[in-house]
Amino acid sequence: MNASIAKGSYLSPGADGADDSEWVFTKIVYQWGIERETAGLVQPYTAMKGVQKASLFMPWIGDLRPSEVDPEIVRGALVELSRCGGRDGKGLSSSTLRAAHLAATQAIDWAIGRGVGRQNPFRLVPRPKARHRSSQFLTMGQASDLGALAARDVRNELFLGNVSRSSFALAACIAVATGLRRGEIFALEWSDCDLALCRLSVSKAVKADGRMGAPKSVSGIRSVAIGKCLASLLLEVLEWQRKHLPERAWHERQHVICDEFGARASMNSFEHWWRSWADRNGWVGLRFHELRHTHATLLIARGVDVKTVQMRLGHSSAEITMSCYAHAIPLSDGAAAASLDAALFR
């Protein structure tokens, strides 16, 4: 969806000249997406994904008004999508079905709020239950091994002149040491790195479609402390890039995670590299995002207060941090008991 093209044709259901009888599901979904984007309620990419998810129901209800949509049609659509709604006739995942149901619900709620229909049929159909795979996290020993191996590969690949692979290994080092999201790491520029003060400034993120945007939330704009080892490694990479990459104006934007030409590295290429690198080195099935989980889990287990972890991760509230990492509290509790026990009964 390109809002700059669609803006001129935008017409709210409640506007003069808008015929409510014309507001079928397809039109509602697209206009809902356009308004979310143009009003700045969500990022353009988020608006586009919402439209894509809601559009999964269009083969069944695309030409129907909300009042004409029977909840049984919605249930049938969900069954068919779960059975053969994906690529090559494969069923869609529970997370995709949940996202589609939510997007369609929100789109029709938007229309009802503007006078089109009175009841949302999607609210009469339970949202599909999630069947998420449990997130993994590494132990301190495993995380230490991964960090050391990734740092070694940063230097080895630079020595061989493989800039992209060196950058990818550096992304793994940054992730496990800071908890930054993948898009935040790929958006880092050298001007964001204060290596003398050992801090990284996070103010932007690369979205899944490759466009640059704001972090996931306002709280995502933050300054994150790093250790001296990571700062030293970053300095090595910066000095190598200055010396070996094509000559360019270094006062302009220069990406930390870059390719052989100094441009921002491809996140799609990175995903292929990560899957191969992680599996080859013994972390089979480990997702890159789980380095973020590992970072947070290890901090809490080592007694770092939840508010600090929240700020490092860029969560909007400590409650979100607690809900995501409650599993680490027993580890932290055990460490606290052992520490006090050693002090009391030495």
Side-chain angles (χ1 to χ4, degrees):
M1 180 180 63
N2 189 329
S4 63
I5 296 175
K7 284 177 184 176
S9 61
Y10 176 77
L11 185 63
S12 173
D16 291 340
D19 184 355
D20 288 356
S21 65
E22 296 179 357
W23 285 91
V24 296
F25 182 72
T26 297
K27 185 173 183 179
I28 287 170
V29 167
Y30 283 114
Q31 295 299 313
W32 164 70
I34 291 170
E35 182 172 301
R36 294 177 85 203
E37 180 177 343
T38 56
L41 300 176
V42 295
Q43 294 291 322
Y45 179 74
T46 303
M48 178 189 70
K49 295 300 289 185
V51 169
Q52 288 178 351
K53 291 294 188 292
S55 297
L56 291 171
F57 291 101
M58 287 182 183
W60 291 271
I61 62 173
D63 295 329
L64 300 180
R65 297 191 299 273
S67 60
E68 298 173 329
V69 179
D70 190 294
E72 287 303 317
I73 299 178
V74 176
R75 290 190 181 93
L78 287 169
V79 170
E80 286 299 302
L81 289 170
S82 66
R83 188 173 65 84
C84 56
R87 295 178 181 175
D88 302 322
K90 296 181 180 179
L92 297 176
S93 67
S94 61
S95 59
T96 299
L97 292 176
R98 283 175 60 81
H101 186 284
L102 176 62
T105 302
Q106 292 176 341
I108 294 184
D109 279 347
W110 171 85
I112 290 174
R114 286 153 182 78
V116 178
R118 295 182 178 179
Q119 190 173 47
N120 190 333
F122 281 87
R123 293 201 172 276
L124 301 177
V125 179
R127 192 178 175 195
K129 292 184 178 180
R131 295 189 296 273
H132 297 304
R133 192 200 84 177
S134 298
S135 292
Q136 299 183 60
F137 62 90
L138 305 178
T139 64
M140 180 57 75
Q142 292 169 330
S144 178
D145 289 343
L146 185 146
L149 183 59
R152 184 201 70 184
D153 283 358
V154 170
R155 297 181 172 100
N156 287 347
E157 297 293 357
L158 280 185
F159 179 78
L160 296 173
N162 298 325
V163 182
S164 290
R165 280 182 285 186
S166 175
S167 288
F168 293 162
L170 180 60
C173 293
I174 296 172
V176 76
T178 66
L180 265 63
R181 301 176 178 91
R182 182 190 64 170
E184 294 170 342
I185 294 172
F186 273 73
L188 284 175
E189 300 167 5
W190 286 113
S191 59
D192 299 319
C193 306
D194 191 329
L195 302 182
L197 294 180
C198 294
R199 300 201 74 85
L200 302 180
S201 295
V202 181
S203 59
K204 50 195 177 299
V206 180
K207 304 303 179 181
D209 63 353
R211 289 187 292 179
M212 190 77 76
K216 194 172 182 179
S217 67
V218 175
S219 302
I221 300 174
R222 62 202 188 277
S223 175
V224 178
I226 60 175
K228 292 183 178 180
C229 291
L230 179 58
S232 177
L233 180 63
L234 285 166
L235 182 59
E236 287 182 49
V237 173
L238 172 60
E239 292 175 344
W240 190 96
Q241 288 187 12
R242 284 183 179 275
K243 183 177 180 181
H244 293 90
L245 290 185
E247 186 173 344
R248 53 196 177 158
W250 273 88
H251 64 275
E252 298 176 355
R253 291 183 174 180
Q254 307 297 337
H255 295 282
V256 176
I257 310 301
C258 68
D259 61 16
E260 282 72 11
F261 304 100
R264 190 180 74 227
S266 164
M267 289 202 302
N268 288 334
S269 297
F270 170 75
E271 284 302 317
H272 292 295
W273 173 89
W274 168 257
R275 186 71 280 127
S276 174
W277 186 88
D279 289 352
R280 185 173 68 251
N281 288 294
W283 295 288
V284 179
L286 182 71
R287 294 175 293 193
F288 184 72
H289 192 73
E290 288 169 331
L291 297 185
R292 176 174 166 86
H293 293 316
T294 293
H295 178 78
T297 298
L298 294 180
L299 287 180
I300 294 174
R302 291 171 71 86
V304 176
D305 65 276
V306 173
K307 189 65 179 176
T308 298
V309 178
Q310 172 208 335
M311 293 174 65
R312 287 184 66 80
L313 297 182
H315 285 161
S316 58
S317 70
E319 286 75 17
I320 293 176
T321 307
M322 285 294 294
S323 66
C324 292
Y325 301 105
H327 64 269
I329 301 301
L331 302 177
S332 179
D333 181 52
S339 176
L340 185 59
D341 181 80
L344 289 173
F345 304 112
R346 67 181 184 278

